[in-house]
Every structure is written in C-alpha cells, then in structure tokens.
Amino acid sequence: MIRTLPSAEPDAVPTRAPRGFRHDLYAAGAAVLLVTAAVLVGHHIQKTSGTLLVNWPPLLASWGPHLGPGTPLAVLVAIATVVYGPALAVRLPWRALLPLTWAAAMAWICSLALIDGWHRGIAARLTTRHEYLRVVDRFHDIPAALRDFTSHILIGSPDNWPAHVAGHPPGATLTFVLLDRVGLGGGAWAGVWCITVGATACVAVLVTIRALADEALARRAAPFLVLAPAAVWMGTSADAYFAAVAAWAVALLALAVTRRSVLWAGASGLLFGLTCYLSYGLTLFALIAAAVLVLGRHGIRERPALLVALAGPAVVTAAFTLAGFAWWEAYDVLVTRYYQGAGGIRPYGYWVWGNLACAVLITGLATAAGLRRSGALLLRHRGGALTRPGGPGADARLALLVAAAVLALLVADLSGMSKAETERIWLPFALWLLPACAFLPRARGWLAAQALPALLLNHLLLTGW
C-alpha cells in the first residue's frame, strides 16, 4: 500500500526541502574543483616521485579511449532513465517499482561493464593475480584453511595470500569457494554473481528510506540509485556484493524497528555479522545502524527484537572463531601487511583528500548538491525532535541517515587504511549518499549530470585493480 503519494510532477521541488538552486550549483562546482585538483596534483606527484602508485590519479586506472558492445546499451539505459525514470518512480505501484529499480540498475551496471567487452569487463575481472578466484583451490579443506588463514597474510609468509584475499576476512573468499562448490566456478559466474546481487543494494536502500522516512522520498531517490556513477566499479567487483549484504542488513534492521519484528531483527543481525567477515572496514556500518536505531527508537522499546539483532553478529563471530579464524588477530596482522605494500608508500597527505575526490566520482555531482541540501535540513532541525516515519520530519530523518553514511566514510578516510582504490572500496558507503539526491529539484537535469561523467569515464579510462 502506498503510504505517501508524491507530487504527480516528477521534477517538482519538494516543499519541505530547502531552496537554493544556485547554491546547488556552487556545491557541484566545488566538487568539480576538488576532482580537478586531485587530478592535477596527483599527476604531478606521480610524475615526480611515483609514490601514488596509480596511473591516473586519483583513480586506479589507465588512459585508454575505447568503445565496446556495451556502449549503445549504456547510452540507451541512461537516456531512458533520465527521460522516464522520475515519472515512473512516481506512478508505479511500490511492489512494481522495486523489481524495476533492480532490473534497471543491473542493466546500467552490465552495460557499463560490457563497454570493456565480456572477457575484460566481466569474465576476467575476478581472476587477476590480486583476486579471490586465484586461491579457490586452496580451500579444498575449508576448516583447515580458516585455521591457517592468518598465517598467510604477511607478504613474507609462505604462500602469502593475494592482496584482496589478505586484505579481507575469509568470508569474502569463502563466497567464491562455495559458488565453485555448487558448480558456479570461474570468473564469469563470479562476475554475474557480484552484478546480480550488487544491484539489489539499491532496492535495500529504497526499503530503508520508506521505512524510516517516507515513500515519497524513496520514490524520488530511485532513479538516482539506478543511474549511480558507482556502477562503473560495481561491474565487476566483489565490493558490489559486499555493498548489497551491508545494505540489506540496514534495510532489515529498519524493518525490524518500525514493524517490531523479531524475524527481521534476527536476519539483520546475521547479515551484519556476515558484513564484518566480508570486509574489515565495513564494521563502520555500525554508525549507519546506530542512525537507524535512533530513527526507529519508538520501535526498539520492544527489547526482544533488539536483543535478537545484537545476537546475530555474535553468532557469526562465534562460528568463525570456533572454526579457527580470529577476526581481531587477523586485523592486527593485516595492518602490518598494509604498510608492507602500497599502503606504506602512498602519501597520506594526498589521499586523505584525494579519496574524497574519488567519492565525488562514484556518487556524482547531483550527490554533492544533495548533500548540501541534507546539511541545510539538519541545521534547520537542529535541536528539534524527529517525528515518527511518514510524518512532517521525513526529510530530516533521511538527512540524518545520509549524515551517518558521510560520517562512516570520513572515519574510513581519516583512518589511513583507505589510500587509493576507494572508488571500489567505498562502494558500500557511496550507495547511502545517493539518497540525498531526493531533495533536488529538476531531477532530469541532475540525472543527466550523473550519467554523462560515468559514460565518459568508462569510455576514456581502463579501470581495474
């Protein structure tokens, strides 16, 4: 059932959002300047000292203009979403909007990946020397591999893991091991898995917005989640899969606190636990979860649901620990490994702000403008009480959720454990910044501003890791 109907005009300005289109342009312009500075300064540092260890700073990419089989499809998806997306998001029944959003996001991700061709764009992405599929055959005895996992993290250790395997808890690698066990082995299946599952993240974000804010804002955010510039790196990256798991953990928690459901709380807790064993850095999703609990504080008075949600991560932690993998010990070793490699060479002084330029590239100029409006909303509601979901404070509730994602991203940045490649590593956080676009007027214009840079980047650069 539709709880709150938005304006019939898809480009109408939300009456509750702060005005100031000129200030939106200033925010977008500032984002352009940040990216420009990161490119110019980065090229200078790389040319003079070579310490950035990327070919096209701030991105891990190489200059290589090209077309591919995905080019016409990507252009078609972009045009269709810009022209018809806002209106469809308003008019479709909610139950139809969610699968259509997933399908459209998957089409956008696939088409961008296929600009590089099937082999390079999808089938071979997860088979390179840094990737998870290189070690699938070393997990024939999974319990033994888990017990021995930490001893192969350091570069000097015997048969040390490839960079991505060493840099993540074993849950990430186990995913591809289990896919191989059920007959879906190889790079093509792994790529399809990451794209298909990763595209569901936008649905999880919409479910969360509807549960914690209102349906009108979720509908306005939908086209921006579909046409996210992050899609350039979501196809094909394991981080897209991580983003989906983390997003559904948040979405189910939002449903648990608003519907007071023990079932949703348990499922959310288990997914949060899995999230922490897919990527160490995603423990920062606790900040987004905390925002969900604040926004749903009326629902968490039902203590059983909250206790069940907290039990989920404990169950996952106990399972991995009893199997022989100690998360905290492995992370301590990983920090050493990080500084043994590129992390010990790349200058913090550049990447602490260069990473933010990467964040602009994966979230787009519309998000920069939307974040300005989110900040203005929070300032207007400073000291005021947030109402229940669906009430007049829905815009501020969404702004608070976005602010939690911004905080998580900034903590990751300041930690120094994210120097370069954040266009991939920060995909899980980036998806929670995109809903800020729901506050923007002139949706079609901003959608075009999202799509065009993504198309240009994917046609001019050869991205990889």
Side-chain angles (χ1 to χ4, degrees), residues 4-68:
T4 307
L5 288 176
S7 166
E9 171 53 50
D11 282 341
V13 181
T15 57
R16 293 167 297 180
R19 299 180 179 179
F21 181 63
R22 183 180 299 176
H23 292 133
D24 294 339
L25 295 180
Y26 291 159
V32 170
L33 291 177
L34 175 63
V35 172
T36 302
V39 171
L40 296 178
V41 174
H43 273 86
H44 174 73
I45 295 174
Q46 182 63 15
K47 183 178 180 179
T48 56
S49 68
T51 56
L52 297 189
L53 303 181
V54 294
N55 292 329
W56 209 88
L59 301 175
L60 184 64
S62 301
W63 181 257
H66 62 289
L67 299 174

Side-chain angles (χ1 to χ4, degrees), residues 349-439:
Y350 171 81
W351 288 111
V352 73
W353 61 273
N355 286 338
L356 300 180
C358 289
V360 170
L361 292 172
I362 62 177
T363 59
L365 299 181
T367 303
L371 289 176
R372 183 204 72 79
R373 290 191 173 237
S374 287
L377 280 165
L378 289 177
L379 289 175
R380 287 175 58 195
H381 284 79
R382 183 175 53 189
L386 296 172
T387 60
R388 291 174 182 266
D395 47 7
R397 298 171 68 82
L398 176 56
L400 180 61
L401 185 66
V402 170
V406 172
L407 178 60
L409 186 146
L410 291 176
V411 172
D413 188 34
L414 294 173
S415 73
M417 292 294 289
S418 298
K419 289 184 285 189
E421 301 184 57
T422 48
E423 65 271 20
R424 170 183 60 81
I425 299 169
W426 285 358
L427 287 176
F429 303 113
L431 293 176
W432 293 93
L433 305 186
L434 292 165
C437 298
F439 300 126

Side-chain angles (χ1 to χ4, degrees), residues 18 20 32-33 43 50-51 132 159 214 234 251 258-259 262-263 277 296 322 366 377 397 416 462:
V32 170
L33 291 177
H43 273 86
T51 56
Y132 306 95
D159 298 321
D214 69 15
M234 292 185 76
T258 54
R259 299 183 182 181
V262 173
L263 178 62
Y277 281 83
L322 291 174
L377 280 165
R397 298 171 68 82
L462 295 171

Side-chain angles (χ1 to χ4, degrees), residues 140-223:
H140 59 276
D141 185 341
I142 291 177
L146 290 178
R147 289 193 298 270
D148 203 33
F149 189 88
T150 303
S151 64
H152 297 293
I153 292 178
L154 294 178
I155 287 179
S157 61
D159 298 321
N160 62 86
W161 300 121
H164 289 187
V165 178
H168 296 80
T173 307
L174 279 179
T175 299
F176 299 104
V177 171
L178 294 176
L179 284 175
D180 183 75
R181 293 282 178 90
V182 300
L184 302 179
W189 281 116
V192 170
W193 167 266
C194 291
I195 290 174
T196 304
V197 176
T200 68
C202 61
V203 178
V205 175
L206 293 182
V207 169
T208 306
I209 297 171
R210 185 176 188 251
L212 296 176
D214 69 15
E215 188 174 311
L217 288 170
R219 288 173 175 274
R220 289 188 61 85

Side-chain angles (χ1 to χ4, degrees), residues 298-323:
H298 298 291
I300 61 174
R301 291 173 183 171
E302 297 291 331
R303 291 186 179 179
L306 180 59
L307 291 176
V308 169
L310 294 175
V315 169
V316 176
T317 300
F320 273 95
T321 305
L322 291 174

